[in-house]
């Protein structure tokens, strides 16, 4: 869900007082057995042999490419019962075809945030939030001001934002300050929290946050909070990541377009729209191809429900009520090729690696280090033939991940721009890592 100014670099981003050890949310899945001194319960592997075979056949069929442009389905799939929907079901129905879905509130009913952040009437519990997080400084966007295709941000203590929010409600959802929206608050990174949420197994293979946790610097776990009428302009998520979003309280309206459909919405200068509900899109002089775009897939997300946004789906989101949500961006073997293709497109667009970092938040050298951190853990599991590894990976998941990394790393190593990178000081040279991965993958699939 991340929008707004891009990060300064995948590894290079800094935050204040990095020397402070910040407690993180204890996840019940997809975390190492030991994270900064805290021991977590081992959990079962989520990928079985049949799912591994299915995924491998799918990606072999793509021949190293990515899924083509598709039309939005007529309606979004709704998953109602946690006990009747497995990880394999999610892979088959949504990860492989890259389709959105909505999970019912039954999947989040045990979350601490849904108990403590919400009043019995289902509204944000401002008193609890003030007592618990009042002094935390949070980022706030002004929804009424367009800055490129996003909104300008400022930072303020949460207590000041809640004071504004209350006054905004009392003023009939209007204020001389405009409509302010708390966005991209790194609650898990910046504040000791417990029992806020439990990471659903479907989103457990989360390389982006696994990478950041290994560095202990940052994350892509966010809290959003704002009044009815606050919104996020039209965008696709950073790095072409997946995202998931849960309404702790309130409702959201989503407008989603499948990959490629956004091209028809560009104006005659090649720019994407800021607001896909604007009447300006009907101006064929300004938007000459807008009539070629299919209608968006529309979702009304209720309190407690969880939306899965696939890779590369552009979307726009409106808060229909006073709403708080928890959101993650995540990357894994199912959308790694999308991320790699996006980075190459960014490089082609700007032609300069130093500019590429400022535009996309990552350059090729940093992308290699991201792959390396994820690969080394998978290699450890495969070499030990571990059926269970404390992180919940399991042999099949590690084999799938290693195979996807191998394919993308081979393309990265062959890329002429990456070949100009000085890798002499790398702790593990790219070609050495690629060879280790190939050997491990070959051994994993050997009879």
């Amino acid at each position: 869900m991340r929008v707004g100014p891009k990060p300064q670099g995948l590894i290079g981003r800094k935050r204040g007082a990095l020397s402070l050890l910040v407690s993180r949310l204890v996840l019940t899945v997809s975390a190492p057995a030991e994270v900064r001194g805290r021991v977590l319960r081992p959990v079962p592997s989520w990928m079985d042999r049949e799912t591994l075979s299915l995924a491998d056949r799918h990606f072999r069929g793509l021949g190293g490419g990515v899924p083509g442009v598709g039309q939005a389905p007529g309606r979004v799939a709704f998953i109602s019962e946690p006990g009747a929907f497995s990880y394999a079901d999610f892979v088959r129905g949504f990860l492989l075809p890259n389709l959105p879905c909505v999970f019912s509130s039954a999947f989040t009913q045990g979350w601490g945030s849904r108990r403590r952040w919400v009043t019995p009437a289902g509204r944000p519990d401002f008193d609890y939030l003030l007592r618990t997080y009042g002094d935390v400084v949070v980022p706030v966007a002004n929804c009424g001001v367009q800055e490129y295709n996003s909104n300008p941000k400022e930072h303020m203590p949460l207590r000041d934002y809640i004071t504004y929010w209350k006054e905004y409600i009392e003023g009939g959802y209007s204020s001389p300050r405009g409509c302010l929206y708390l966005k991209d608050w790194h609650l898990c990174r910046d504040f000791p929290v417990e029992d806020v949420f439990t990471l659903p197994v479907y989103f457990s293979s989360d390389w982006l946050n696994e990478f950041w946790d290994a560095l202990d610097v940052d994350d892509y776990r966010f809290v959003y909070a704002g009044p009815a009428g606050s919104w996020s302009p039209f965008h696709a998520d950073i790095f072409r990541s997946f995202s998931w979003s849960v309404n702790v309280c309130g409702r959201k309206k989503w407008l989603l377009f499948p990959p490629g459909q956004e091209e028809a919405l560009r104006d005659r200068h090649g720019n994407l729209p800021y607001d896909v509900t604007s009447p300006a899109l009907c101006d064929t002089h300004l938007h000459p191809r807008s009539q070629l775009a299919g209608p968006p897939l529309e979702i009304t997300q209720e309190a407690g429900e969880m939306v899965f946004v696939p890779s590369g789906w552009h979307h726009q989101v409106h808060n229909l009520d006073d709403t708080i949500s928890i959101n993650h961006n995540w990357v894994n073997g199912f959308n790694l090729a999308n991320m790699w293709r996006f980075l190459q497109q960014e490089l082609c667009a700007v032609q300069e690696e130093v500019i590429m970092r400022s535009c996309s938040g990552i350059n090729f050298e940093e992308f290699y280090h991201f792959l390396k951190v994820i690969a080394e853990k998978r290699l450890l599991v495969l070499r030990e033939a571990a059926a269970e590894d404390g992180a919940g990976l399991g042999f099949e998941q590690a084999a799938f991940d290693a195979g996807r990394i191998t394919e993308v790393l081979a393309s990265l190593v062959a890329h002429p721009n990456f070949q100009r990178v000085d890798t002499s000081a790398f702790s593990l040279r790219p070609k050495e890592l690629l060879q280790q991965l190939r050997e491990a993958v070959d051994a994993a699939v050997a009879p």
Side-chain angles (χ1 to χ4, degrees):
M1 290 289 297
R2 189 180 183 98
V3 268
K6 298 292 198 308
Q8 297 171 0
L10 188 62
I11 294 176
R13 287 197 294 169
K14 305 294 184 183
R15 63 181 171 92
L18 286 180
S19 60
L20 295 177
L21 294 179
V22 180
S23 300
R24 291 176 183 267
L25 179 68
V26 178
L27 305 179
T28 60
V29 290
S30 188
E34 185 174 335
V35 180
R36 287 177 289 282
R38 295 185 287 103
V39 178
L40 308 180
R41 289 182 302 154
V43 297
S45 168
W46 48 84
M47 180 172 281
D48 55 29
R49 177 64 63 177
E50 183 180 352
T51 307
L52 171 61
S53 298
L54 174 67
D56 282 344
R57 289 195 303 272
H58 172 85
F59 286 105
R60 282 199 303 272
L62 291 176
V66 295
V69 176
Q71 297 293 322
R75 60 184 180 84
V76 66
F78 186 79
I79 316 303
S80 58
E81 293 297 331
F85 190 73
S86 69
Y87 181 76
D89 293 331
F90 184 59
V91 169
R92 260 191 307 270
F94 305 101
L95 283 182
L96 291 178
N98 201 43
L99 292 173
C101 65
V102 177
F103 296 82
S104 76
S105 60
F107 287 82
T108 64
Q109 63 183 359
W111 287 17
S113 55
R114 290 194 59 199
R115 295 193 307 273
R116 292 191 290 270
W117 294 8
V118 185
T119 68
R123 300 180 61 82
D125 191 332
F126 293 134
D127 291 338
Y128 177 84
L129 295 171
L130 282 171
R131 288 195 308 271
T132 311
Y133 311 113
D135 294 328
V136 179
V137 176
V138 296
V140 175
N142 189 333
C143 296
V145 179
Q146 180 177 352
E147 187 175 81
Y148 300 101
N149 265 28
S150 188
N151 308 119
K153 281 185 179 179
E154 59 180 307
H155 287 77
M156 64 178 68
L158 180 64
R159 66 176 65 257
D160 291 350
Y161 179 71
I162 289 179
T163 298
Y164 155 81
W165 194 348
K166 290 179 175 179
E167 292 173 351
Y168 191 79
I169 295 172
E170 292 168 359
Y173 289 86
S174 179
S175 168
R177 300 175 64 185
C179 182
L180 304 184
Y181 189 10
L182 190 163
K183 302 175 77 170
D184 297 328
W185 173 22
H186 294 261
L187 174 66
C188 301
R189 183 197 70 184
D190 295 340
F191 199 88
V193 291
E194 293 181 358
D195 191 29
V196 170
F197 70 96
T198 301
L199 184 64
V201 67
Y202 316 105
F203 314 137
S204 300
S205 181
D206 178 350
W207 298 4
L208 207 52
N209 287 300
E210 180 182 338
F211 174 78
W212 280 115
D213 286 347
L215 297 185
D216 192 19
V217 172
D218 210 339
D219 67 1
Y220 280 87
R221 307 177 179 106
F222 306 106
V223 171
Y224 281 42
S230 52
W231 66 296
S232 292
F234 188 62
H235 69 284
D237 289 324
I238 191 168
F239 307 139
R240 295 303 180 262
S241 57
F242 297 131
S243 65
W244 61 261
S245 177
V246 171
N247 285 350
V248 175
C249 63
R251 297 176 302 142
K252 291 180 185 287
K253 178 181 179 180
W254 295 73
L255 302 172
L256 298 101
F257 292 82
Q261 284 284 312
E262 75 281 356
E263 295 301 322
L265 299 175
R266 292 185 183 274
D267 65 20
R268 59 192 178 93
H269 305 293
N271 300 314
L272 288 172
Y274 169 71
D275 178 3
V276 294
T277 68
S278 170
L281 264 74
C282 298
D283 182 346
T284 56
H285 177 69
L286 182 60
H287 294 272
R289 301 180 60 210
S290 61
Q291 300 302 314
L292 301 177
L297 180 63
E298 187 171 322
I299 299 171
T300 299
Q301 179 189 15
E302 303 290 340
E305 292 181 348
M306 180 164 56
V307 170
F308 165 63
V309 181
S311 176
W313 281 64
H314 281 68
H315 49 282
Q316 184 167 307
V317 190
H318 296 259
N319 288 327
L320 302 177
D321 305 316
D322 297 306
T323 303
I324 302 175
S325 64
I326 295 174
N327 316 281
H328 281 202
N329 292 107
W330 49 295
V331 170
N332 61 25
F334 289 96
N335 64 339
L336 181 64
N338 294 21
M339 180 182 184
W340 170 227
R341 185 174 72 162
F342 169 72
L343 296 179
Q344 294 176 83
Q345 290 171 339
E346 288 284 285
L347 181 60
C348 288
V350 300
Q351 292 299 311
E352 293 289 342
E353 186 92 355
V354 63
I355 301 176
M356 178 184 175
R357 177 181 293 157
S358 66
C359 292
S360 68
I362 178 175
N363 62 23
F364 283 5
E365 179 179 344
E366 293 171 332
F367 184 56
Y368 169 72
H369 287 293
F370 165 68
L371 295 177
K372 175 178 172 290
V373 167
I374 304 303
E376 287 179 332
K377 294 183 180 180
R378 277 62 183 171
L379 286 170
L380 182 62
V381 175
L382 294 177
R383 285 166 179 163
E384 296 179 354
E388 191 113 346
D389 66 292
L393 281 171
F395 187 83
E396 287 79 12
Q397 184 72 51
F400 171 74
D401 291 354
R404 302 303 303 134
I405 296 170
T406 300
E407 182 175 297
V408 169
L409 180 58
S411 178
L412 174 65
V413 167
H415 198 286
N417 290 84
F418 184 73
Q419 289 175 355
R420 293 199 289 267
V421 174
D422 181 6
T423 62
S424 59
F426 287 9
S427 59
L428 183 61
R429 300 286 185 88
K431 290 184 179 179
E432 295 173 7
L433 176 60
L434 182 58
Q435 182 61 30
Q436 291 182 22
L437 282 164
R438 283 172 169 160
E439 293 172 355
V441 170
D442 288 345
V445 300

